[in-house]
Amino acid sequence: DIQMTQSPSSLSASVGDRVTITCRASQGISNYLAWFQQKPGKAPKSLIYAASSLQSGVPSRFSGSGSGTDFTLTISSLQPEDFATYYCQQYSSFPLTFGGGTKVEI
Amino acid sequence: EVHLVESGGGLVQPGGSLRLSCAASGFTFSDQNIDWVRQAPGKGLEWVGRSRNKAKSYTTEYAASVKGRFTFSRDDSNNSLYLQMNSLKTDDTAVYYCVTVSGTYYAFDSWGQGTLVTVSS
């Protein structure tokens, strides 16, 4: 199975900050990498697919990059509604696997 | 607009069975691959498996943790996907989500709101 390692597991930031979350795969996954946002008590929301493509309706302050084993999610200017937990996921091969999550707190 | 609604969750004893449903609307159900993902209380996301579409002969994939105990089925005429869970364990306690999989880029698209399954005596 491909292991997905996210860092940090949590971070504190302020509105307007630039935030970067990293995700590392235990083996190469090309660009088969997705990012999700989850708020407490809610279902996850798909943000990014193919490492850098934004899902429809996702604000442009979100961006993704990387290929192979190392990936990043960047929020260029953190907004109040962005405080949430973020997960990466590889869909290169079964079983699909998720990172452990990064909680973005005020 | 794609809409997924899970139902059927509840309290069940260890060793028992439960069937979850995922009712879909807003797309051609028979064309769609759909996955199940679960989340134990306070924990991260865990992929459960995939139910492929008619074109892929309704084949399935399962996570090792549920293989042999969980079974997917679907009723295209009712736009519904089912997750039959047998031999339930306390570790199966989680919110279960169904998720559509893009046929173009194979990533997750839309999520349901989830249904809670509690396995406890």
Side-chain angles (χ1 to χ4, degrees):
Chain A
D1 298 3
I2 298 174
Q3 307 297 322
M4 305 300 294
T5 304
Q6 276 183 247
S7 61
S9 56
S10 66
L11 65 90
S12 296
S14 300
V15 173
D17 283 354
R18 182 182 181 88
V19 169
T20 298
I21 299 168
T22 65
C23 180
R24 175 165 289 175
S26 61
Q27 64 189 74
I29 58 170
S30 184
N31 69 336
Y32 294 104
L33 191 284
W35 290 97
F36 305 95
Q37 176 193 67
Q38 188 178 33
K39 297 181 181 180
K42 300 295 186 181
K45 173 186 175 182
S46 299
L47 293 179
I48 287 174
Y49 64 95
S52 60
S53 298
L54 261 59
Q55 292 276 4
S56 175
V58 173
S60 58
R61 63 180 179 273
F62 290 92
S63 64
S65 65
S67 184
T69 60
D70 294 311
F71 302 87
T72 61
L73 171 69
T74 300
I75 309 172
S76 60
S77 178
L78 199 65
Q79 297 302 299
E81 60 268 30
D82 301 335
F83 291 95
T85 300
Y86 294 85
Y87 295 93
C88 63
Q89 179 219 33
Q90 67 80 19
Y91 54 99
S92 171
S93 64
F94 293 110
L96 307 188
T97 47
F98 292 88
T102 297
K103 187 174 184 179
V104 177
E105 300 175 294
I106 300 173
Chain B
E1 181 186 359
V2 172
H3 197 50
L4 300 170
V5 178
E6 301 90 339
S7 62
L11 175 63
V12 60
Q13 292 188 335
S17 298
L18 204 60
R19 189 178 86 152
L20 306 184
S21 300
C22 171
S25 60
F27 59 93
T28 303
F29 186 79
S30 60
D31 290 346
Q32 189 68 54
N33 295 334
I34 299 178
D35 283 20
W36 288 92
V37 173
R38 68 183 181 182
Q39 187 171 36
K43 302 297 184 182
L45 301 171
E46 180 188 14
W47 179 77
V48 173
R50 174 164 298 175
S51 172
R52 293 190 180 89
N53 58 22
K54 183 178 181 180
K56 293 292 186 181
S57 303
Y58 302 120
T59 54
T60 55
E61 302 284 346
Y62 296 95
S65 59
V66 306
K67 196 169 186 178
R69 299 188 299 123
F70 289 12
T71 304
F72 306 134
S73 61
R74 48 197 296 167
D75 181 349
D76 287 353
S77 64
N78 283 319
N79 291 346
S80 293
L81 176 68
Y82 305 101
L83 170 53
Q84 178 67 42
M85 304 185 294
N86 298 330
S87 303
L88 282 162
K89 307 174 182 179
T90 55
D91 286 350
D92 296 319
T93 294
V95 175
Y96 285 74
Y97 299 99
C98 56
V99 194
T100 59
V101 181
S102 167
T104 303
Y105 45 84
Y106 303 108
F108 287 179
D109 276 336
S110 302
W111 296 69
Q113 87 290 347
T115 187
L116 175 62
V117 173
T118 303
V119 184
S120 175
S121 55

